[in-house]
Amino acid sequence: MPLAPRAPYRLTAIQVRDLLRNNTLTVEEYARSLLGRIKERDSVVKAWVYLDPASVLRQAQALDQVPHDQRGPLHGIAVGIKDVMNTRDMPTQFGSPLYEGHQPGFDSSAVAILRAAGALIFGKTTTTEFTVTNSGGAGLGPETTNPHDANRTPGGSSCGSAAAVADYQVPISLGAQTGGSIIRPASFTGVFALKPTHNAISPEGQKTFSPTFDTLGFFARTIEDLQLVTDVFDLKDDEPPEDILLSKTTVAMIKTPMWDSAGPGTVAAMKNASTVLEQIGIKVEEVPFPAEIGDLETLQQMQKALMYREAQVAFLREYRINKTGLAPEICRLVENSSNFTNREALQAADKYAGLRPLFDELAARYSAIIAPSVIDEAPLGLENMGSAVFNTFWTASAGLHMPVINIPAFSGAHGMPIGLSLITGRLRDQHLLHIGKALSGPLMTGGGWKVGTTAAHSTPYFRDS
Amino acid sequence: MPLAPRAPYRLTAIQVRDLLRNNTLTVEEYARSLLGRIKERDSVVKAWVYLDPASVLRQAQALDQVPHDQRGPLHGIAVGIKDVMNTRDMPTQFGSPLYEGHQPGFDSSAVAILRAAGALIFGKTTTTEFTVTNSGGAGLGPETTNPHDANRTPGGSSCGSAAAVADYQVPISLGAQTGGSIIRPASFTGVFALKPTHNAISPEGQKTFSPTFDTLGFFARTIEDLQLVTDVFDLKDDEPPEDILLSKTTVAMIKTPMWDSAGPGTVAAMKNASTVLEQIGIKVEEVPFPAEIGDLETLQQMQKALMYREAQVAFLREYRINKTGLAPEICRLVENSSNFTNREALQAADKYAGLRPLFDELAARYSAIIAPSVIDEAPLGLENMGSAVFNTFWTASAGLHMPVINIPAFSGAHGMPIGLSLITGRLRDQHLLHIGKALSGPLMTGGGWKVGTTAAHSTPYFRDS
């Protein structure tokens, strides 16, 4: 009989699943280990806005009673839920004082699907108010810190979901991205994340910011764990992913039109990635942005015009009910203080729609695209959530709707993590995971960042004996 | 002092608003009148899936206590809510046995905004299961009848919302359209309806079917009442609508590529509309569909590919939790039994996105477009909800996202109503209402249908003396 792990909280979801399957671990033991970890670290990391240990243990005990042949693919796996998604048994507060103690009483679609797959819905993770972030430093955010340096931001808006996974408080968490709210905190906290193809997972029961851009995704410490969750949501490509032959693999390195903004950490990471991939026989090509994207400044204005218009619709309810309880930034969105016209918003919607097939075609010419995830390491201070400038084109932000994985392979001048984005065409999420598995090993080895390399982890990780 | 109306239930929302303002009527009196009307008619029309008279009267009494200077623009106006939108104080059952007695406990955005404006949220109106309709005659629908002929369908999926307004049970109701679920029942029951620009009103808290197509809209018995509700949702054009000079007004009559499907009632209505408009000096031009729309059959397949793919995502939750409780049609959607590929769905999404600016340009060349709303009168039988073929291009269905008003001006061979669709470019909803006000008078006069012309209304309508 194998020995039980000394610290189950350190396990990946796949490892936990296997130990639960062979009765080496119970869900309750696992839950107690995670709760212990959180108790030890919460005063520093502050990743949770709601967590009820008694309720977690009750869920865990109930899951232990489920016969093996009735268990789902996520049986007993702890998942943190960004507090912009409804949960039937926990408050959902959207980071907003307007919703203090708000109990929707009904799960969001994604939470319900996770529960049906047997997941242990652990608690609610912190978010900026309604996921709005402000790189200028306004106080929309929670007090969550970066687990690798408590003086630095974990990145927003999925602050708690990224920090909790990075700090071994849960193996998986849900986040939501409108601008850079998944890929940026994943990069800042050094974890993997998948922002799937837009609307490939239902956002129902999740607070809307901008429907063209809002995308639900998840964080994990390995790409295999991302795969596990992706499959629960039934994401399928038209063809099953092909076996990866490194000699036939091609990667487009796209520095994006914002390359001038990249800091030394990201510049080095892109260079490092090219070198590592070429060393293992992959053809790496530096590829310019398609000319159709047009002038960068114009495009950024377009993005704002569309996103702000959609936000105006999304927050009218809160504005009408109690605008004094809304952050001034959000009031200004509803009031359209930027004076964007309908015409500008429609032009933007149409422009992005026209770019989508072009970028799919570009992506189809390579095994994957690699681009910066962030400007550089997580900045100092908790109020500045960091710039989403590099997420603008690859994420919901540009309305390109392509799936993106953050690979947390690199580190910067202060030893903080830096990720790169692995990207492919729409609805090829399985291909992206597949190529991600092949490339992330060499990149992680060559890049210097080890997931979990924190002061809090001076002891070695889980060993199975 | 003006005399109180003998039958407040017959009033339009604007009339009620004015009587409440000058204290000629109380909200409670008004509510009792509507409840009386419903009591008298419900065994035939069956428009409500949930209606609690005691709770309605409590709301009404509370509204009567609000001081005049704190009353909102919809103060005391009764609104029926299609039962796919969450309500905090009523069950929300989506026409599905899976959700019998389901209490979301939290209003949808639209319901919350109506409440904040003082509306009296009256009850929940019937819908087909999750708004899915089947013109083939499967049993997805409620037992709601057409108020003008109980042997005929009111049209789906917003069955109850259309029937309740047509039958004077409420002056306003909310509906939702993915295919033809607002415009079709409005035409079949002879009422006005506005399907606004896509996503100009937040669908948050409303069951998702297909996000590219789902659109929230409303029914009323006058265009002025549609205006009242539109303003509550803050829909604004870039420029305020211009005064209408009939001599400078131009209308494009577009028969659409489905003209061969049109029955004699719709053929006559289109002809009649041209004649009436020309008689009042309007320039009427028959305009072909833009060639870019391509082959009709291909486009219809594309629409299915996209809508079905989105439905697959939307209903995965229910399928995972209890697929035996889902209609077989919906199971087949989740199982992708039509074998549509991702590629087909993306091609469709991109195709429709490319058509949107073309149709905006076309619309900008005329004061408005007129097109068929339906094939003909409401068919006999309750199971056949009627074809949405004509809604396909002008509504969410085609992803054109343009605002549409149904004008119920005409009648068919059996004396049942037939509407025509008035259409303009995206985010010009105020212009559409404005031109609709100018054109609907002459069309209603010339067309032969009188809103409220039913056997149940042999006595004259409200008179204010």
Side-chain angles (χ1 to χ4, degrees), chain A residues 102 104 106-109 202 204 207-208 232 236 238 309 313 317 320 341-343 350 353 426-427, chain B residues 102 104 106-109 202 204 207-208 232 236 238 309 313 317 320 341-343 350 353 426-427:
Chain A
H102 171 61
F106 188 59
D107 284 336
S108 77
S109 273
S202 174
E204 203 174 324
K207 181 66 190 162
T208 304
V232 166
K236 284 183 198 131
D238 277 340
R309 211 207 101 74
V313 172
R317 174 213 194 111
R320 282 282 170 78
T341 62
N342 293 340
R343 195 169 288 113
D350 297 337
R426 289 174 294 170
L427 293 175
Chain B
H102 171 60
F106 188 60
D107 283 336
S108 77
S109 273
S202 175
E204 203 174 324
K207 181 67 191 163
T208 304
V232 166
K236 285 185 198 130
D238 277 341
R309 210 208 102 75
V313 172
R317 174 214 193 111
R320 282 285 169 76
T341 62
N342 293 339
R343 195 169 287 111
D350 297 338
R426 290 174 293 172
L427 294 175

Side-chain angles (χ1 to χ4, degrees), chain A residues 341-400:
Chain A
T341 62
N342 293 340
R343 195 169 288 113
E344 288 169 309
L346 293 172
Q347 276 170 352
D350 297 337
K351 170 83 177 177
Y352 290 129
L355 290 174
R356 278 174 215 142
L358 294 177
F359 275 82
D360 279 356
E361 278 166 36
L362 170 64
R365 294 204 291 272
Y366 302 90
S367 308
I369 295 167
I370 288 181
S373 284
V374 287
I375 287 182
D376 210 310
E377 297 172 317
L380 279 166
L382 300 184
E383 291 212 325
N384 182 347
M385 298 276 166
S387 167
V389 65
F390 281 115
N391 307 117
T392 300
F393 285 96
W394 296 113
T395 66
S397 259
L400 294 182

Side-chain angles (χ1 to χ4, degrees), chain B residues 246-254 270-287 366 368-370 439 443:
Chain B
L246 292 182
S247 61
K248 294 197 169 173
T249 298
T250 57
V251 168
M253 302 292 292
I254 304 194
M270 287 287 281
K271 194 157 177 291
N272 194 340
S274 289
T275 310
V276 166
L277 296 177
E278 280 171 346
Q279 278 168 355
I280 57 170
I282 286 175
K283 190 169 169 240
V284 177
E285 192 181 330
E286 194 168 311
V287 176
Y366 302 90
I369 294 167
I370 287 181
L439 302 191
L443 287 172

Side-chain angles (χ1 to χ4, degrees), chain A residues 399-448:
Chain A
L400 294 182
H401 294 176
M402 303 164 93
V404 182
I405 287 175
N406 181 64
I407 299 187
F410 308 93
S411 60
H414 304 89
M416 296 293 289
I418 293 177
L420 292 182
S421 289
L422 194 72
I423 301 149
T424 193
R426 289 174 294 170
L427 293 175
R428 299 192 70 215
D429 303 74
Q430 291 289 353
H431 166 74
L432 187 66
L433 286 161
H434 206 65
I435 190 82
K437 269 178 244 175
L439 303 190
S440 62
L443 288 172
M444 298 298 290
T445 305

Side-chain angles (χ1 to χ4, degrees), chain B residues 144-155 188 377-382 384 413-416:
Chain B
T144 311
T145 65
N146 194 308
H148 309 299
D149 180 349
N151 295 312
R152 292 175 190 268
T153 179
F188 284 0
E377 295 172 318
L380 279 166
L382 299 185
N384 183 347
H414 304 89
M416 296 291 291

